[in-house]
Amino acid sequence: TDEEDSDEEDSDSEDEESDSEEEGDEESDEESDEDSSEEEDSNEEESDKEEDESSDEDSSSEEEVVKKPPPKTKTSKKAKPAATATLLDFDEPSAPPNVTAPTVPQSSVTLDELLGDFGTMSVDPASSGPNYSLDSVRVTHDLLHRMTGGGLAVQYSFPRSGTISGAVPISLVLNNTTDQPITDVKVDDIDLKGGVEFSGFDSIPMISPGQSTQVGININFNDTLQPAKFTLCSSKGRFPCKIQPPVGELLSPFVVIESDFDSMKGKLSGMHEVTGECGNCGKDPGTISQLVSETAATSICFSAETNCLKFASKTAAQEKTLLITLNVGEAIKISVNSEAVVLGSMILKDIIKVIEA
């Protein structure tokens, strides 16, 4: 019995130890479960933090991408000052060292003296540009002789400048050849025919002894040779006068290139063309060109053809085209093309006359 009791006690103690071991195992299992749950909680918290940090980084990176200017803009901003500096360098070049401004000497030359020098210059039409008018080709005509005008002498010329539409400008020079003043010089009793129009000058109060004065008038001859008649009055009396233009002064220069010249000439052939021929007495093309310019108010049209001279003009009043062509050789062949056939025939005769003179 004692042995049975001891065996029972041993079994009871073993049961208690096993129970205690099971309780320890349960406690360890609970502790391990708690530890694992804590680790899971910590892992979740760390993952949440990482997600929050990654989201923050993504948002910050997006903000940086939005705020960051494009590289092209930065490049242009950096390049712009350099370009500006380059332009400034070109616009404002630095002055070379030790450079002194030249001194301009004072001159007492007047504008009239300078213009006088230009008036005496000669121009070769063969080598110059289009020729409108040359002071050297002006021809002076007597309007009133001093013996007839009681000491008042009047001359006129065609300056070929200062033209008014349809009118021919005319310059008058009135000279007092007496030792007494001549007063109240004016134009009166204008007699016009054939559509001629006259624009005179204001009355001249006085012309001193030995002095002269220059005035201008404009006459529209209506592309005809009808003279303009009028009376010139002064303190010396009343004197009838008339102005009849040379046919070449009824023209005005017309600038045109050779291709247009040839095209217009082709349209003015047949009954609108007159031709002639004259001998060449050793005159070169430059001299012949000068003679044509003296005879008629024309403009030179430069030609690519050898020894061929071309001139273009229009009638002053009706603006009809008039073209002149000269082929220079041993004989000079001349053609004039224009709707104004009568004027063309007279121009042809005048050109032949001055070349053969």
Side-chain angles (χ1 to χ4, degrees):
T1 58
D2 293 333
E3 289 176 356
E4 290 176 357
D5 294 333
S6 61
D7 291 335
E8 289 176 1
E9 288 175 357
D10 291 335
S11 63
D12 291 336
S13 62
E14 287 175 0
D15 295 334
E16 288 176 358
E17 286 176 358
S18 62
D19 293 337
S20 62
E21 287 176 357
E22 288 175 0
E23 288 176 358
D25 293 334
E26 288 175 358
E27 288 176 357
S28 61
D29 291 336
E30 288 175 357
E31 288 177 357
S32 62
D33 292 337
E34 287 176 357
D35 293 336
S36 62
S37 63
E38 287 176 358
E39 288 177 358
E40 289 175 359
D41 293 338
S42 62
N43 291 330
E44 289 176 357
E45 289 177 355
E46 288 176 357
S47 62
D48 292 338
K49 288 181 181 180
E50 289 176 357
E51 289 177 358
D52 293 337
E53 289 175 356
S54 63
S55 62
D56 293 336
E57 289 177 356
D58 294 337
S59 62
S60 63
S61 63
E62 289 176 358
E63 290 177 356
E64 289 177 358
V65 170
V66 172
K67 293 180 180 180
K68 187 176 180 181
K72 291 184 179 180
T73 307
K74 287 185 177 180
T75 304
S76 62
K77 288 183 179 179
K78 291 181 180 179
K80 186 174 182 180
T84 305
T86 304
L87 291 175
L88 291 175
D89 292 339
F90 280 110
D91 292 340
E92 298 178 0
S94 59
N98 300 326
V99 176
T100 58
T103 58
V104 180
Q106 298 292 330
S107 176
S108 59
V109 179
T110 63
L111 179 61
D112 292 338
E113 292 175 346
L114 289 175
L115 294 177
D117 293 338
F118 280 110
T120 58
M121 293 174 63
S122 61
V123 180
D124 183 3
S127 60
S128 64
N131 176 29
Y132 293 97
S133 64
L134 301 173
D135 289 340
S136 59
V137 306
R138 290 195 305 176
V139 179
T140 302
H141 309 271
D142 286 330
L143 180 65
L144 180 64
H145 194 270
R146 62 183 182 85
M147 298 298 293
T148 307
L152 177 64
V154 183
Q155 294 179 321
Y156 69 94
S157 61
F158 299 88
R160 300 181 183 177
S161 62
T163 59
I164 298 177
S165 178
V168 177
I170 300 172
S171 175
L172 302 180
V173 178
L174 301 92
N175 185 21
N176 182 0
T177 63
T178 70
D179 56 0
Q180 298 294 325
I182 298 177
T183 60
D184 196 21
V185 182
K186 60 183 179 180
V187 172
D188 198 6
D189 297 338
I190 300 173
D191 183 15
L192 305 176
K193 295 180 180 179
V196 178
E197 299 176 356
F198 186 98
S199 177
F201 59 89
D202 295 334
S203 175
I204 302 173
M206 182 182 68
I207 303 175
S208 300
Q211 300 297 314
S212 62
T213 185
Q214 183 174 352
V215 295
I217 61 175
N218 291 280
I219 302 177
N220 185 346
F221 292 99
N222 197 26
D223 294 345
T224 68
L225 296 179
Q226 286 285 344
K229 298 180 181 180
F230 56 93
T231 300
L232 190 61
C233 306
S234 72
S235 58
K236 295 294 184 177
R238 297 171 62 87
F239 310 101
C241 302
K242 70 175 182 179
I243 296 178
Q244 184 171 9
V247 64
E249 302 301 335
L250 296 176
L251 306 176
S252 61
F254 176 42
V255 180
V256 64
I257 60 176
E258 186 176 18
S259 59
D260 292 339
F261 183 99
D262 295 338
S263 176
M264 290 185 291
K265 182 178 178 180
K267 296 177 182 179
L268 293 173
S269 58
M271 62 180 297
H272 298 297
E273 181 179 53
V274 291
T275 60
E277 185 175 331
C278 64
N280 185 1
C281 303
K283 295 182 175 67
D284 58 46
T287 301
I288 296 172
S289 179
Q290 178 71 30
L291 293 174
V292 175
S293 297
E294 292 176 358
T295 305
T298 60
S299 175
I300 298 173
C301 174
F302 292 100
S303 175
E305 302 177 32
T306 305
N307 295 328
C308 181
L309 303 176
K310 298 180 180 181
F311 303 85
S313 58
K314 288 188 176 183
T315 60
Q318 301 179 23
E319 296 186 350
K320 294 180 179 180
T321 303
L322 190 144
L323 308 174
I324 304 170
T325 307
L326 296 91
N327 291 297
V328 181
E330 294 181 358
I332 302 174
K333 298 180 180 181
I334 309 169
S335 64
V336 180
N337 301 77
S338 177
E339 294 178 4
V341 181
V342 176
L343 291 181
S345 300
M346 299 179 70
I347 289 289
L348 176 63
K349 292 179 181 179
D350 287 350
I351 292 174
I352 293 176
K353 183 178 178 180
V354 296
I355 291 176
E356 291 181 339

